[in-house]
Amino acid sequence: MEKDEIYQKMLTKVIMFLAYKPRTRKEISVRLGRYLKSQKDLDDEIKKDIAYKIFEYLEENKLIDDEEFIKLFIESKTRGKKALGKKAIENKLIAKGIDKEDAGRYINAAINEEDELKAAVRLIERKFGLAISTAEALDQNHKGKDDIKTKMGRYLLSRGFSYSISRQAVDYLLKRP
């Protein structure tokens, strides 16, 4: 195959990869590397040239933008039924190839403590709502309430919420009128 044909084929594959959802530069680079590796008859210089041209095309047409990706990712992970805490979001962004400082800066700008607390309360309210109301209705002993409290705290910690946010959310739910 000719270099231009391979370029078009690889560009089409990358655009199809981007069609599903926004991706980071690193995700595209890894996938493009796999695509190019399958082209055994090309030397490394031609592969690098094709990759450079593809990234140039993606940037010119605004198909790749890590800053916009970070904003969309944070918004999607803080809303909804499966919200995540700041730490979990940061770890996921780092795994997707975003610099730790950039991830932290955008997360701190986008999520304030009050919003994170509200998300934590909604999350455990949804997950443990029945257990909370049952414990209150039966006026369970102190140990039963402590077990529920521990489980809720662990759940929030596993979702990337800080200890202080987890504790505040659990206390709020168990002490509300």
Side-chain angles (χ1 to χ4, degrees):
M1 245 192 274
E2 203 173 301
K3 183 179 171 183
D4 289 336
E5 290 176 42
I6 294 171
Y7 166 77
Q8 285 299 323
K9 181 180 175 184
M10 295 299 122
L11 181 61
T12 302
K13 284 185 172 192
V14 169
I15 290 174
M16 294 298 289
F17 179 62
L18 283 169
Y20 294 109
K21 65 180 183 177
R23 311 281 182 164
T24 63
R25 178 179 272 288
K26 180 184 175 189
E27 290 175 303
I28 295 169
S29 179
V30 168
R31 184 58 64 103
L32 180 59
R34 281 191 221 148
Y35 293 153
L36 289 171
K37 192 174 184 178
S38 69
Q39 300 295 316
K40 306 250 186 253
D41 55 335
L42 291 179
D43 67 4
D44 289 341
E45 278 302 311
I46 294 175
K47 289 179 183 180
K48 285 180 185 178
D49 188 43
I50 290 173
Y52 177 79
K53 285 182 180 180
I54 288 173
F55 276 106
E56 197 174 70
Y57 176 85
L58 295 174
E59 287 171 357
E60 284 174 8
N61 292 289
K62 297 184 184 354
L63 295 173
I64 184 173
D65 184 357
D66 281 353
E67 286 184 23
E68 187 63 27
F69 174 85
I70 294 170
K71 291 174 187 174
L72 292 171
F73 188 83
I74 292 170
E75 186 177 321
S76 72
K77 296 301 178 186
T78 55
R79 311 280 188 266
K81 295 179 181 178
K82 296 192 177 196
L84 295 175
K86 287 182 178 182
K87 192 64 183 168
I89 294 171
E90 181 180 15
N91 289 339
K92 286 185 179 284
L93 284 170
I94 291 168
K96 290 184 174 289
I98 302 297
D99 185 51
K100 184 175 180 153
E101 288 78 33
D102 288 342
R105 184 169 30 99
Y106 280 101
I107 289 169
N108 289 330
I111 307 170
N112 61 34
E113 192 171 316
E114 185 180 326
D115 290 340
E116 190 176 20
L117 181 59
K118 285 178 184 177
V121 168
R122 277 194 313 269
L123 196 61
I124 57 174
E125 199 170 35
R126 197 172 284 124
K127 176 105 173 149
F128 294 95
L130 183 61
I132 294 167
S133 60
T134 304
E136 290 169 353
L138 296 175
D139 196 23
Q140 276 192 342
N141 62 16
H142 190 65
K143 184 176 178 357
K145 214 165 196 173
D146 281 349
D147 288 345
I148 292 170
K149 194 174 183 178
T150 302
K151 286 181 181 180
M152 288 190 291
R154 279 192 204 140
Y155 178 70
L156 288 175
L157 289 172
S158 75
R159 302 289 300 166
F161 291 93
S162 69
Y163 177 78
S164 64
I165 293 290
S166 300
R167 180 139 189 178
Q168 288 175 36
V170 170
D171 288 345
Y172 171 77
L173 276 179
L174 292 178
K175 292 178 183 175
R176 69 181 175 181

